Amino acid sequence: MNPVLEPLFRTVRATHPKADLRLIERAYDVAAYHHRDQKRKSGDPYITHPLAVATILAELGTDDETLCAALLHDTVEDTAYSLDELRGDFGETIASLVDGVTKLDKVKFGDAAQAETVRKMVVAMSRDIRVLIIKLADRLHNMRTMRYLPEHKRHQKSRETLEIFAPLAHRLGMNTIKWELEDLAFAMLYPKRYDEIARMVSERAPRRDLFLQEVIEKVSGDLREAKIRAVVKGRPKHYYSVYQKMIARDVAFDDIYDLVGIRVLVDSVRDCYAALGTIHARWNPVPGRFKDYIAMPKFNMYQSLHTTVIGPEGKPVELQIRTHAMHHRAEYGVAAHWKYKEEVGAPGPPGKVKPGSDMAWLRQLLDWQKETSDPGEFLESLRFDLSVSEVYVFTPKGQVIALPEGATPVDFAYAVHTEVGHRCIGARVNGRLVPLESRLGNGDTVEIFTSKSPDAGPSRDWLKFVKSGRARNKIRQWFSKERRETAIEAGKEAIGRAMRKQGLPLQRLMSGEALLALARDLRYPDVSALYAAVGEGHVAAQNVVQKLVASIGGVDSAEEDIAETSLPTRLRGRPRGGGGAGVVVAGDADVWVRLSKCCTPVPGDEIVGFVTRGHGVSVHRGDCTNVQQLKAQPDRLVEVSWSPSDDSVFLVAIQVEALDRPRLLSDVTRTLSDQHVNILSASVTTSRDRVAVSKFTFEMGDPKHLGHVLKAVRSIQGVFDVYRVSGAGG
């Protein structure tokens, strides 16, 4: 026997003792011969890939035909070996499996949400489910070795894995494959978020493990007393599922991670219910958290009893109770069919569906596919996951849109495009005109009528019946934006009037960066926010004009071209000499120098000086966006160099990216204060995927201290990236 095959055969003997090892060895020899001159991106011989795919399938307990097809799955596509030769060498079944995988490789997964594409994939898998199982194992090994591909390929494959292959593994009940695919793709797409969750998990592991052990001992003791044979163990946490729950349930990491999960494996269905009674006798169940998937299995054959109880110290404990056969099926899904097929019905060829077996739903799929010419109806039949309350509707061109249950034509319009939603005035469903508040059903074809009027907009009444978060948010945004635009116009007009009264140069004062600098000094994120504040009466227009004139050195300076003045700091008393800024001008140490706020230079940065009129020399970083504009006047550029003194103070702007949680901002600001930096401004935005981006501007005496500051912020729980940015506003 070929020694290379020994690990594979060891697994096959354990999971499928009756497999034909000689056939598998012959398939390996043929594949190795035809791939002999090929290498993978890693430099390894190509045959290592089919061998790894076959090993993954052997661990799932698949039959010898599937293993042979796995070893040969790339030969027809990538070598001179033809399908007819393969059919002659290994028979019709293995040839059709290899052909199925080859065809599945050609399906473009980019538009898998489309009914027709989903259809092709299901046709391929329902002729013989093993085709899809080989494809999933193929993708899993590719994800494990993804680091050798260029970055754009890694991202594309990882996104495909999250959006197509992991959900397919879930539909087939193959949870071990699904979890590994998700974690590998998550680590590839969002490495910093992945590392931060891994760090938070490892920090809490010892404390959580002690509590877990206590619960396991109590449950095991109770079951022993009740004379129920059981294996009780903790349930592993997967990083991607932790992250998904943070987004979906909108809760903090601690609330998810501290929720302890226990799995109880027993011998029979009767023991499942007996174990449930024993556990509920010790701890009170949480109302509404009991689910019986044994009496009513999930779409993918999953069976289990789920309950949540209030355990020791008042902490909730999640329990899953199932038999060993159910557990194997929950882990390996349809792949477990071969291992346990003797339990579920009459013998028959593996992979082909037997009526009455737990695979009967595959037979149904094939029947639906034959009977249904309407892709919408087929897609509805395909929608296995009964726990997700969604409706699937079609655009007039046949594109599928998924909406929450109870959705209306307005939800559909916003799902197509924001502007379609805003301009929606009517709808036709399945060819009939309907009111905008009518509910959509599965397979409906929806056509939206839009207004061409420039003043068209949504109605406030829509908020009473729309069901999707997107539609609700977009309608609210439209109304707040409309009010805001009115306030901005009013504020701009008020500032213009105040300037005209004083005879100031309106064009110059209201353009350039002076206005942006003033907005930042008054703690507004941008000029529009400043205009809105004036329009809403929060700030007086006269006050803004006075500050604007003062900030650029009085009325005389206002006559100059102010595009070059960068973002001036507020003047406090007399201007400082050059030494206070820590910069000296070549040939003249007495010139007043100030550090520009648009790029916040600190010692160590390459810098250039620009002679402003009535405002000394402004110092910019060499890579500042405004330097290109200043170079248009080379006669005003001067050579400057760093010469910091003990009383020099520098502005620094940093950006902090973190997984959002309560008290995150207070933890960051406290850490910055502990590092003895004076925070001047802070802003925080949080995205839908639970990532908080914070920007801080602060003063520092010694820029070398910045490394310590960044390190301290990086150690805060949830923070996965922190770095200096070029300027107070990023």
Side-chain angles (χ1 to χ4, degrees):
M1 182 197 294
N2 190 328
V4 174
L5 293 173
E6 185 47 45
L8 172 63
F9 284 174
R10 203 180 310 125
T11 308
V12 172
R13 285 190 199 101
T15 58
H16 195 72
K18 295 176 185 171
D20 184 348
L21 298 183
R22 280 200 303 274
L23 181 68
I24 295 170
E25 186 170 11
R26 191 154 61 85
Y28 172 81
D29 291 339
V30 169
Y33 173 77
H34 287 286
H35 288 302
R36 65 191 180 280
D37 298 326
Q38 295 175 335
K39 291 268 194 289
R40 301 204 83 212
K41 286 274 193 294
S42 61
D44 294 333
Y46 193 89
I47 191 62
T48 56
H49 169 64
L51 186 57
V53 173
T55 307
I56 291 167
L57 292 169
E59 287 162 4
L60 298 177
T62 53
D63 63 340
D64 39 19
E65 288 176 332
T66 311
L67 297 176
C68 290
L71 288 165
L72 296 161
H73 77 272
D74 280 332
T75 51
V76 172
E77 192 170 12
D78 295 342
T79 74
Y81 193 50
S82 72
L83 191 62
D84 288 336
E85 286 176 89
L86 194 149
R87 191 177 285 111
D89 290 343
F90 293 96
E92 184 58 50
T93 305
I94 293 173
S96 69
L97 290 176
V98 173
D99 187 39
V101 176
T102 307
K103 282 180 177 152
L104 211 52
D105 277 338
K106 293 193 170 81
V107 174
K108 288 281 178 283
F109 292 111
D111 56 353
Q114 301 301 311
E116 286 302 321
T117 312
V118 175
R119 230 169 143 170
K120 285 175 198 159
M121 295 174 74
V122 175
V123 172
M125 71 182 232
S126 53
R127 289 208 181 104
D128 195 325
I129 191 68
R130 293 174 292 179
V131 167
L132 195 61
I133 292 170
I134 295 168
K135 185 65 203 162
L136 286 170
D138 174 56
R139 175 50 63 109
L140 178 56
H141 183 249
N142 282 333
M143 287 303 297
R144 287 174 180 172
T145 54
M146 191 65 76
R147 62 185 177 280
Y148 299 106
L149 290 180
E151 188 178 2
H152 74 280
K153 274 274 189 199
R154 290 203 303 266
H155 279 204
Q156 179 203 335
K157 296 282 183 195
S158 298
R159 196 161 295 290
E160 210 172 82
T161 298
L162 274 186
E163 291 172 3
I164 310 292
F165 289 101
L168 276 173
H170 177 58
R171 283 183 172 173
L172 299 176
M174 300 167 71
N175 285 325
T176 47
I177 301 274
K178 173 200 167 207
W179 287 322
E180 190 178 349
L181 284 173
E182 283 179 343
D183 278 356
L184 288 167
F186 180 38
M188 199 69 70
L189 283 172
Y190 306 107
K192 290 175 180 172
R193 298 180 201 183
Y194 178 91
D195 290 344
E196 184 56 31
I197 287 179
R199 185 173 75 92
M200 294 194 291
V201 166
S202 65
E203 279 175 2
R204 284 161 184 68
R207 189 183 72 232
R208 186 173 174 276
D209 288 349
L210 284 173
F211 180 72
L212 191 65
Q213 206 48 48
E214 182 189 348
V215 176
I216 288 173
E217 282 166 12
K218 286 184 175 170
V219 172
S220 300
D222 288 351
L223 294 175
R224 262 196 311 276
E225 278 180 36
K227 297 198 167 39
I228 299 169
R229 277 203 319 179
V231 177
V232 183
K233 53 189 179 183
R235 232 164 64 231
K237 290 277 185 191
H238 300 279
Y239 298 152
Y240 184 69
S241 65
V242 168
Y243 181 57
Q244 282 297 94
K245 283 173 184 164
M246 285 170 69
I247 298 170
R249 294 188 193 168
D250 199 26
V251 289
F253 171 82
D254 282 345
D255 295 341
I256 296 162
Y257 188 73
D258 287 346
L259 187 63
V260 166
I262 300 285
R263 191 168 283 145
V264 180
L265 304 181
V266 294
D267 294 337
S268 67
V269 172
R270 185 187 296 270
D271 286 347
C272 289
Y273 292 99
L276 178 75
T278 307
I279 289 159
H280 282 182
R282 173 182 278 275
W283 291 308
N284 287 333
V286 177
R289 292 300 300 272
F290 170 69
K291 293 196 172 65
D292 186 345
Y293 293 120
I294 292 178
M296 291 175 288
K298 278 194 188 182
F299 62 91
N300 57 9
M301 308 182 300
Y302 177 88
Q303 286 184 293
S304 222
L305 295 177
H306 287 197
T307 186
T308 303
V309 298
I310 301 299
E313 303 170 30
K315 288 183 180 174
V317 178
E318 282 183 343
L319 294 112
Q320 294 175 346
I321 306 164
R322 56 175 81 142
T323 67
H324 292 279
M326 288 172 193
H327 177 60
H328 193 86
R329 225 168 8 240
E331 295 290 289
Y332 302 125
V334 292
H337 168 61
W338 291 279
K339 181 129 180 164
Y340 281 94
K341 66 177 182 285
E342 59 272 13
E343 290 182 16
V344 293
K352 298 301 175 189
V353 183
K354 303 187 292 291
S357 77
D358 54 4
M359 299 284 288
W361 59 273
L362 268 178
R363 168 68 58 135
Q364 281 181 297
L365 265 183
L366 199 50
D367 292 345
W368 284 326
Q369 168 63 26
K370 286 173 186 164
E371 291 165 13
T372 312
S373 57
D374 173 22
E377 194 183 324
F378 174 73
L379 198 71
E380 158 59 4
S381 311
L382 178 63
R383 199 170 57 85
F384 311 126
D385 195 343
L386 306 175
S387 62
V388 178
S389 301
E390 286 186 319
V391 290
Y392 290 85
V393 295
F394 288 83
T395 66
K397 290 185 177 174
Q399 186 185 351
V400 186
I401 305 275
L403 295 168
E405 197 170 33
T408 64
V410 175
D411 293 289
F412 173 87
Y414 277 102
V416 171
H417 195 279
T418 303
E419 277 304 307
V420 175
H422 287 341
R423 296 179 169 279
C424 169
I425 50 171
R428 187 184 278 150
V429 175
N430 301 329
R432 293 195 359 249
L433 290 170
V434 297
L436 286 178
E437 63 269 25
S438 52
R439 291 173 60 142
L440 298 175
N442 276 303
D444 284 349
T445 299
V446 186
E447 189 181 347
I448 297 294
F449 301 115
T450 55
S451 166
K452 290 191 169 57
S453 162
D455 302 326
S459 160
R460 281 189 190 279
D461 292 341
W462 293 358
L463 288 169
K464 294 174 187 168
F465 58 74
V466 291
K467 284 288 182 287
S468 63
R470 177 185 167 88
R472 187 169 283 107
N473 290 339
K474 293 292 182 188
I475 295 165
R476 284 186 181 138
Q477 273 173 21
W478 194 88
F479 283 108
S480 62
K481 185 181 169 196
E482 188 185 36
R483 278 201 302 271
R484 181 180 157 85
E485 282 171 354
T486 307
I488 288 171
E489 283 305 313
K492 199 185 268 188
E493 185 59 38
I495 292 172
R497 268 201 310 274
M499 284 183 181
R500 279 194 291 271
K501 269 185 189 171
Q502 294 182 44
L504 292 170
L506 193 65
Q507 285 301 102
R508 293 191 172 171
L509 271 174
M510 289 187 75
S511 62
E513 291 181 331
L515 207 54
L516 181 58
L518 181 60
R520 294 257 167 75
D521 281 347
L522 294 173
R523 300 287 184 268
Y524 292 108
D526 52 31
V527 176
S528 297
L530 176 63
Y531 286 151
V534 173
E536 288 166 357
H538 301 315
V539 182
Q542 187 55 41
N543 196 8
V544 170
V545 174
Q546 283 170 358
K547 280 184 165 40
L548 195 58
V549 171
S551 73
I552 59 163
V555 176
D556 293 339
S557 292
E559 302 295 336
E560 301 285 356
D561 180 4
I562 61 166
E564 53 30 273
T565 61
S566 72
L567 298 182
T569 51
R570 283 170 289 179
L571 299 177
R572 300 181 184 90
R574 287 185 72 249
R576 296 179 304 187
V583 175
V584 290
V585 178
D588 192 347
D590 291 332
V591 174
W592 178 54
V593 174
R594 67 187 176 77
L595 302 177
S596 170
K597 258 193 186 177
C598 61
C599 55
T600 58
V602 298
D605 293 340
E606 283 187 28
I607 48 174
V608 295
F610 186 83
V611 180
T612 64
R613 295 193 176 101
H615 215 61
V617 171
S618 68
V619 177
H620 296 258
R621 271 166 55 176
D623 58 357
C624 174
T625 50
N626 292 319
V627 166
Q628 286 307 319
Q629 190 182 343
L630 304 182
K631 282 181 178 170
Q633 302 174 66
D635 54 317
R636 292 169 70 178
L637 291 174
V638 291
E639 199 177 314
V640 285
S641 58
W642 290 110
S643 175
S645 60
D646 290 344
D647 63 341
S648 297
V649 175
F650 304 98
L651 269 187
V652 177
I654 65 168
Q655 181 155 311
V656 180
E657 295 174 11
L659 299 171
D660 193 27
R661 63 175 174 83
R663 300 184 302 283
L664 174 68
L665 184 59
S666 67
D667 284 355
V668 177
T669 49
R670 192 182 66 246
T671 302
L672 289 172
S673 299
D674 291 346
Q675 292 293 316
H676 309 294
V677 300
N678 177 28
I679 301 171
L680 299 177
S681 69
S683 68
V684 184
T685 55
T686 306
S687 62
R688 281 178 62 192
D689 55 357
R690 297 283 297 192
V691 172
V693 177
S694 323
K695 291 177 182 168
F696 296 90
T697 308
F698 50 80
E699 290 178 335
M700 289 180 70
D702 180 5
K704 291 181 187 142
H705 183 47
L706 181 61
H708 299 290
V709 174
L710 296 179
K711 190 176 178 184
V713 174
R714 177 65 187 80
S715 66
I716 297 169
Q717 181 200 310
V719 172
F720 59 79
D721 209 1
V722 55
Y723 48 88
R724 182 181 165 208
V725 290
S726 61

